[in-house]
Amino acid sequence: MFGWSGKFLRVNLNKEKAAADGYTASTARSFLGGRGFAAKILWDELKPGIDPLSGDNKLVFAVGPLTGLSLPSSGKMVVAAKSPLTGGYGDGNIGTLAAVQMRKIGYDAIIVEGKSKKPIVLLVQDDTAEFLDGKDLWGLKSFEVEKRLAELYGRMVGILCIGPAGENLVKFANVVSQEGRAGGRPGLGAVMGSKNLKAIVLVGSREPSFAYPKELQQLGADGYREVLTKPNYAFWKQQGTMNTIEWSQANMVLPTYNYREGSFEKADAIGGFAMEKMKVANRGCPQCNMTCGNVVKDSSRRESELDYENVVMLGANIGLGNLRQVAALNRDADELGLDTISLGNVLAFAMEASEKGLIKEKVPWGKFKATKALVEDIAYRRGLGDLLAEGVRSTAGKIGQESSQWAMHVKGLEISGYDCHAAPAMALAFATSSIGAHHKDAWVISWEVKAGRESYSQEKVDKVIELQRLRAGVFEALTVCRFPWIELGFELDWYPKLLHAATGLELNWNNLNAIGDRIFNLIRAFWVREYGKEWYSRMDVPPDRWFEEPLPKGALKGAKLDRKKYDNMLHVYYERRGWDEHGIPTKTTLNKLGLDDVARQLGKRVKLRE
Ligand code: SF4
C-alpha cells in the first residue's frame, strides 16, 4: 500500500505488550484514516454497553494518508473512544507533532487496550514500545509533564498527555499536546486517565512510501504557495478564528450568559481587535503556514493561546469581559486538561443555577477569582466541582427543577460557541453532529446568516448534510485541517490530487463524499447500538431554551426556534439521509454504503427498517 503503512499498533496495558496488527487495503480505501479508522475499530472491537472508564474501552489515536506530510495544515491526529460524557462515539482532533511522529513510527493508528495497574508512560520508538514508570509525572499539570518529557526525549518528539482532570476522571477532560493544543472533548482525557496512562511519547525515524513522491512534493510546495496568495491570509494570521467574535456579536449568535442572549455588552473587550493589541506571538500546528493560535499574556503574565471557542465560552458565556482574565482561565484549563468549551458551559450552568437559588453555593456571573477557584475544584473534584465534573446533562439531572431546559447540550456533549435562537440550520447541525453538540461537523452558521435566518427549508437541510460529508467525513478521515478551505478558500480540488499522489487512488469528490457518508453512518450506528432501546428521535433536538425563551434584547429580540418547524426539518433531514423516523439508518442505506455487516449487527439490537 502506498500512503498508508497498512499497520496499527495494538497496545495492551494489562500485559504491557505491544504488537503490530495489519489491516486490509479495502479498509484503507473504505475509511481512509483518522476518524474513519477510529470509528471502524471502535465499531468492530467494542462490546455494546461497556463502561467507558473501564479497561474494556479502547483509546484510539489515528492519522490519515495526508497527515504529517509537507502540505498545507496536515499536522492533525484523531483521538477516539466510547465517551464517558455521552455514552456514545467520542472523538476530537489535535494539531500536534505526535501526528507527524505517528507517520514516522510507521503506524496509522495506536489502539490502547486494557488498564495499567500503576501510572505509566508509553514510549514508542519505531518498532519498540516501552512501558515506563509514570508515578513521578502523576499529579502534574500537562505543561510540566510535556516539559519533563521533552527534556528527556527532545523537543521534536510527539507528546500526548493528560492533566489532573484526566486523572480525576472529569467527564470532559481532554488530551493535551504542545501546551494547549488539545482534543477529545467528550472526556477522552478521562478515558486515558482511567487506563492510568499519563502520557504517550512517539519518536520515529521512518518515511512513509508514496505512489508518486515527486508529484506529492511538488503539489505540497505549490499548495503552501497557494495558501499565501489568498486575500484573507494576512488578516487570518493576525486574528485566526478570533475575528469571529465581532461577527457573532453583530449577528446575535454569541453565546452569552448560558445562551440566554445572543450578544454581550463587553464583546469588544474580548474580541479579535482587543486580542491583537495584546498578542505576543503566533503559534500553531506542525506543517501549517497559516498558524492561527494567538498567544497573549494572561492576568498572571503567563502565555495563553486564544481562539474563538475558548474566548467566547470562558468570556461572554460566563459574563467575563476581561480578556487577560479569560486568558488565565484558558491557561488553567489547558494545564489541568479540561475542555474549554464544556468548561464554559458547566460554569455558566452553575452561575445560572446559583442565580435561581437551585444550589446553595454562590457562583456569581463574571467574577474572575471565584470562577478560577471553581475551575480548579472541577479538575480536582472538590465540592460543587465534583458535581459539575460530570457535565451539564448529569448535573441538571441531579439538581432537577426543570434545569434540564437550560442545560445546554445535545446527547450529553455541551454545545460549542454559537447561539441558535435564530439559526435553525446551525441548531440542526449541533443536534445531528457525530459526537454531540459540536460545530466541527457542519459549521453552517456563516452560510445561514447570509442565506436567511427564518427559513427551515430543505436547502438548509441539504447544506448541513453537504458539510457533514465534507467536514465530518472527508477532512476528519484525511486528517488534515479544514481551515485552508473554509477560511481562505483553498480549493477542494487540491485534496483528490494530493490523495492520488500519496496513495495512487483516483478518487473524485463523489467518491470522497461517499466515504464521508459511510463514516457518518457508521458513527450513527455506533450511537444507536450503544443506546439500544433508549434511542429515540428526541436525541437529535437542541435544548428547550432555544425553543421556549426568546432572545431578550437587540435586533433579533423575541426570536426563538419554532418546534414544529424544527421537527419537520429534522424529519426531512432523516429522509435525505436515508434514516427512519427515529434517525436510525435503514438497511438499504447501510447496504448501499457497503456497511452490510453493520446492518446485520445493528439489526440484532434495534429494529431496522428496510
Ligand atoms: S490553521 Fe490553525 S488549527 Fe489549522 S493546522 Fe493551522 S494552526 Fe492548526
Side-chain angles (χ1 to χ4, degrees), residues 72-76 93-96 181 236 240-241 282-293 305 480-484 487:
S73 308
S74 72
K76 294 272 188 182
N93 76 42
I94 313 177
T96 166
R181 310 205 76 71
W236 174 261
T241 56
N282 203 278
R283 204 181 279 158
C285 314
Q287 312 293 47
C288 181
N289 68 339
M290 50 181 282
T291 46
C292 65
E305 190 177 324
V480 294
C481 179
R482 63 205 174 272
F483 282 150
E487 299 291 347

Side-chain angles (χ1 to χ4, degrees), residues 214-507:
K214 281 202 181 123
E215 188 187 342
L216 183 62
Q217 196 182 24
Q218 187 63 49
L219 274 169
D222 291 348
Y224 279 126
R225 268 195 296 276
E226 178 75 13
V227 166
L228 297 177
T229 67
K230 297 297 177 191
N232 198 31
Y233 180 79
F235 188 51
W236 174 261
K237 286 282 283 189
Q238 275 165 240
Q239 294 203 0
T241 56
M242 285 286 288
N243 69 68
T244 313
I245 293 180
E246 281 86 351
W247 179 88
S248 288
Q249 170 80 354
N251 290 290
M252 299 213 59
V253 296
L254 194 71
T256 309
Y257 297 109
N258 199 26
Y259 296 84
R260 282 201 296 227
E261 305 171 17
S263 61
F264 181 43
E265 62 279 6
K266 294 178 187 160
D268 284 348
I270 61 166
F273 291 99
M275 179 280 299
E276 266 198 67
K277 292 190 192 122
M278 300 176 193
K279 187 165 173 173
V280 294
N282 203 278
R283 204 181 279 158
C285 314
Q287 312 293 47
C288 181
N289 68 339
M290 50 181 282
T291 46
C292 65
N294 301 296
V295 181
V296 302
K297 289 283 172 76
D298 74 6
S299 51
S300 301
R301 307 294 302 153
R302 302 171 301 176
E303 289 192 345
S304 176
E305 190 177 324
L306 301 183
D307 64 27
Y308 173 80
E309 290 289 338
N310 57 35
V311 171
V312 298
M313 295 311 297
L314 297 173
N317 203 44
I318 62 168
L320 181 60
N322 178 316
L323 192 54
R324 290 203 195 278
Q325 292 177 346
V326 172
L329 296 182
N330 177 59
R331 164 89 186 211
D332 288 345
D334 284 341
E335 292 212 47
L336 294 162
L338 288 165
D339 172 61
T340 50
I341 296 173
S342 286
L343 178 63
N345 221 305
V346 297
L347 290 170
F349 181 88
M351 288 167 186
E352 184 160 353
S354 168
E355 181 186 66
K356 290 186 156 101
L358 302 184
I359 53 175
K360 63 180 189 318
E361 294 84 355
K362 295 276 169 265
V363 191
W365 292 103
K367 291 284 181 268
F368 174 63
K369 272 194 186 158
T371 309
K372 187 173 162 57
L374 184 54
V375 170
E376 290 255 335
D377 287 347
I378 291 170
Y380 291 98
R381 284 185 170 273
R382 295 184 293 237
L384 174 63
D386 189 31
L387 184 67
L388 298 175
E390 295 291 307
V392 292
R393 179 169 69 177
S394 165
T395 306
K398 286 189 183 124
I399 69 172
Q401 306 189 64
E402 299 185 347
S403 62
S404 59
Q405 293 195 6
W406 37 270
M408 303 305 287
H409 72 92
V410 176
K411 302 184 190 73
L413 183 69
E414 290 78 14
I415 290 176
S416 48
Y418 297 94
D419 188 287
C420 293
H421 277 91
M426 192 65 220
L428 179 70
F430 276 137
T432 56
S433 149
S434 334
I435 60 169
H438 194 52
H439 59 286
K440 183 178 65 184
D441 280 4
W443 186 69
V444 72
I445 188 98
S446 70
W447 174 89
E448 181 170 36
V449 164
K450 283 190 214 130
R453 312 285 286 271
E454 299 81 19
S455 138
Y456 292 69
S457 63
Q458 184 175 308
E459 188 195 7
K460 286 196 171 180
V461 170
D462 288 344
K463 192 70 187 177
V464 169
I465 293 174
E466 175 196 324
L467 291 175
Q468 286 174 338
R469 280 187 183 123
L470 266 169
R471 296 172 57 116
V474 183
F475 276 95
E476 291 300 305
L478 292 174
T479 323
V480 294
C481 179
R482 63 205 174 272
F483 282 150
W485 161 59
I486 288 282
E487 299 291 347
L488 300 191
F490 184 71
E491 293 78 8
L492 286 173
D493 290 354
W494 283 92
Y495 295 98
K497 286 190 228 159
L498 288 160
L499 189 60
H500 173 257
T503 66
L505 289 185
E506 297 264 11
L507 296 176

Side-chain angles (χ1 to χ4, degrees), residues 31-42:
F31 297 95
L32 282 184
R35 171 180 266 183
F37 282 171
K40 168 92 175 118
I41 292 164
L42 295 175

